[in-house]
Amino acid sequence: MTAATTTTPTPSRPGGAPRPRSGSPRRQGLAGWLFVSPTIVILGLFLLVPVLMALWVSFSDWSGVGSPFSAGVAFVGTKNYQQILTGGGLAESNFGTSLRNNAWYVLFVVPIQTAVSLFLAVLVNRSILRGRGFFRTAFYFPSVTSSVAITVLWLFLFSTTGAVNKLLGYIGVNGPNWFNDPDGIVHLLLRVVGVQNGPAALTQHTALGVSWWDWFAGPSVAMSAFILMAVFTTSGTFMLLFIAALQNLGGDVQEAAMMDGANGWQRFWRITLPQLRPTLFTVLTLGLIGCWQVFDQIYTGTKGGPASTTTTPSYLSYTTAFQDQQWGQGAAIAFILFVIIVVLTLVQRAILRERAVSKRRMRLYDPSLRPVPENGATR
């Protein structure tokens, strides 16, 4: 005789739905917070807290001695910001000069490095090119090299008797004294056509302590060498982003365009480039941020000279804080730079945002949207 076994019936759920194996949403949320809490603690400790401390320093008269929260440190309001932006003294003119230098640096580097990196990506992405792996490595190699080593190399190449001036000498051009020439390239070009001084409307009016004539001087010869170096060292990194985007594009649209008779330039301009818009935005944003934060090349190469024509806000923030012991002004420069980067990024995002195709352009490709002629003729 076998013993009768009893089993406890499993309670059924309404509708026969299986019982979820995991816990309640509240417990799941708690588990999620436990998983991300180490990251939150680390970011808060090493990122948020220093940023808040620097923000407090920008509103204080801290001299760099002791704790910035000690009783001897006073709250000075927006005094540090006013001295930089509207003080009328050396602090304002130094900041205006650094802002002008960096603005010209961004204006040249960002579009040139984007165009060069896109050209290199299209070039090495062609299947008919032999040795693509070698060229990708060669173009990317400057990006992984130390910026200090590249800067020292640049100092040799662009010295008065360097290789660059030697090459210019072969074509009859007397090369400049690159890292000791403070003249702006726009002013130099104007001197070629006989313009030595600017009009009174530009020379007698200033912004941030710098005359408008000097604002439009263009990058100095020394800064031009740094512009070339930035393009040389960063184009390889952005080339990889464009290669990854190009390899993710489908070939069906390209084949349809070829069937319609589009040539290579039309396919690139009308099809490939619009599809690269997200990557293009990423490259422009990263380039913009990196250019406004340029520091190590200036520190290693010229230390802001000649005549402060290579001083950037990042370098000025460092020298103001660590050399002049004006920690409040140094922190204020850093936060003004942060605001500039955020504003320019938002403007750039607004310019590159996705837009709806206009009805006029849609009518070019969709015959059903074209108006019907009154005489009944076919469209």
Side-chain angles (χ1 to χ4, degrees), residues 166-198:
K166 291 286 187 184
L167 292 175
L168 292 176
Y170 289 143
I171 59 176
V173 177
N174 187 18
N177 191 358
W178 290 90
F179 288 107
N180 292 294
D181 193 341
D183 292 328
I185 59 174
V186 175
H187 283 180
L188 292 176
L189 293 175
L190 291 176
R191 290 174 189 172
V192 173
V193 297
V195 179
Q196 298 292 335
N197 299 310

Side-chain angles (χ1 to χ4, degrees), residues 117-146:
S117 58
L118 180 59
F119 172 76
L120 295 178
V122 174
L123 183 66
V124 301
N125 195 49
R126 295 171 63 88
S127 58
I128 62 174
L129 179 65
R130 294 181 180 273
R132 287 182 295 172
F134 168 77
F135 288 109
R136 290 175 183 174
T137 304
F139 294 148
Y140 183 65
F141 188 74
S143 302
V144 298
T145 307
S146 168

